[in-house]
Amino acid sequence: MLAEEHRCLSREHRGSQPKYGFVHGNWALANSAGGRFCGVDSEMQILRDTGCYADFTLPSVPFQSQVPRINAIYQCGHSLSEARPHRSGKNLRVGDELQLPIIFTGPLVFDWTRRVRGLPVPRVEDGALAQNYPLTMDRFARWCSAGIGVKERPDWIFIKLYSHAFFDWDQDLMIGEQMKRFMSEVLETAECTGEFKVHFASAREAFNMVAAAVDGKEGQPGAYRDYKLRQIMQERTDAKVGHEIDRERESELVLR
């Protein structure tokens, strides 16, 4: 219904299986929370069978559902029919064959800037967008330091952030003045220093950029937003454009 009636989701080509990205409620992906919030050992296999291209659940510190694998885009290292098959697995590299769904994690590093009685007390930086953790360029630097990307393409760094929900308390940071100021500072720093460029991407577009990196593509990652999966809603537009081009060609042939 989502794909055919509402023209949502994406797919590789017209008629192929619809694809989607996934985030598990309460972080209990593939029964990784000891039977709570899920209970389905074979969930990852279900995700593959139903068209999931990537899971974006992690990180989930400090909960039991956090697996040892951090700061990576990787493939499950165990049978998808068993619980927690994503607890280990190899990083995606240039030249790999994609085995869906891939696991797309956000940053998980220590923040040592907090002081208690003059002593450094670390807090966990997990990319959460929450009012009690203001957005700063120091946080941005820590996200970058996680170095999440495709091996052998270190120049493309992927930063996946998350929010718990759209709580009133967090709205200023999510869509308000704090977010506007932060994004302006990030973009101005990129423009002034020339050290990096920022490419905002949806889950689908980020996956397409990863797929392009795996295939050895170079240049700006923003050029590969539709590399593998395209929006189903775009198919009608593409078909209409193609029809108009054919009509123009017919007219050109008649005129000639």
Side-chain angles (χ1 to χ4, degrees):
M1 183 177 292
L2 281 172
E4 301 305 329
E5 293 189 24
H6 299 291
R7 315 293 295 173
C8 295
L9 308 183
S10 59
R11 55 190 173 200
E12 290 192 50
H13 52 79
R14 187 183 296 271
S16 63
Q17 183 187 38
K19 301 290 187 182
Y20 64 93
F22 186 73
V23 174
H24 198 294
N26 292 311
W27 290 307
L29 178 64
N31 208 16
S32 57
R36 295 173 299 156
F37 314 127
C38 180
V40 182
D41 287 350
S42 61
E43 183 172 36
M44 200 68 75
Q45 184 64 56
I46 295 171
L47 291 176
R48 171 180 283 186
D49 293 343
T50 55
C52 178
Y53 57 80
D55 177 85
F56 296 87
T57 302
L58 298 174
S60 63
V61 166
F63 301 104
Q64 181 182 1
S65 55
Q66 177 63 52
V67 296
R69 206 71 180 80
I70 65 172
N71 296 330
I73 301 174
Y74 66 102
Q75 303 190 123
C76 292
H78 302 270
S79 170
L80 301 190
S81 62
E82 65 181 70
R84 300 172 67 243
H86 59 298
R87 61 189 181 272
S88 65
K90 68 173 186 175
N91 286 50
L92 280 177
R93 293 180 174 274
V94 174
D96 278 350
E97 180 180 352
L98 287 178
Q99 300 293 329
L100 306 184
I102 63 172
I103 307 299
F104 200 123
T105 75
L108 186 60
V109 296
F110 281 122
D111 173 2
W112 291 94
T113 60
R114 185 169 55 174
R115 293 288 188 275
V116 176
R117 296 178 181 177
L119 298 175
V121 178
R123 71 184 293 181
V124 173
E125 168 63 81
D126 60 357
L129 296 175
Q131 191 66 34
N132 64 348
Y133 204 170
L135 293 169
T136 66
M137 289 303 292
D138 284 341
R139 288 195 73 187
F140 178 75
R142 285 191 289 274
W143 299 338
C144 293
S145 73
I148 298 173
V150 174
K151 292 298 182 182
E152 300 167 15
R153 284 310 310 270
D155 51 325
W156 290 11
I157 294 176
F158 293 83
I159 300 172
K160 179 187 74 70
L161 309 178
Y162 79 96
S163 64
H164 291 286
F166 204 60
F167 299 127
D168 290 344
W169 173 251
D170 293 331
Q171 285 191 21
D172 175 58
L173 185 137
M174 292 288 294
I175 61 171
E177 290 304 315
Q178 183 176 168
M179 175 60 79
K180 292 178 183 178
R181 288 194 299 270
F182 173 69
M183 286 301 177
S184 294
E185 188 173 3
V186 170
L187 293 172
E188 287 174 7
T189 300
E191 182 68 24
C192 292
T193 65
E195 294 178 356
F196 61 90
K197 292 185 178 181
V198 179
H199 304 266
F200 297 97
S202 67
R204 177 189 66 88
E205 291 171 335
F207 169 79
N208 281 333
M209 294 173 189
V210 167
V214 168
D215 286 345
K217 302 299 181 181
E218 299 181 352
Q220 293 298 323
Y224 301 101
R225 296 179 184 276
D226 296 318
Y227 178 72
K228 192 174 185 68
L229 301 178
R230 296 179 60 82
Q231 291 179 309
I232 292 174
M233 68 178 66
Q234 189 67 26
E235 292 175 353
R236 287 182 179 175
T237 302
D238 293 344
K240 183 178 179 180
V241 170
H243 180 65
E244 293 299 326
I245 292 174
D246 288 340
R247 289 182 58 185
E248 289 177 4
R249 288 173 177 169
E250 282 186 10
S251 300
E252 183 181 2
L253 287 172
V254 170
L255 290 172
R256 284 183 176 178

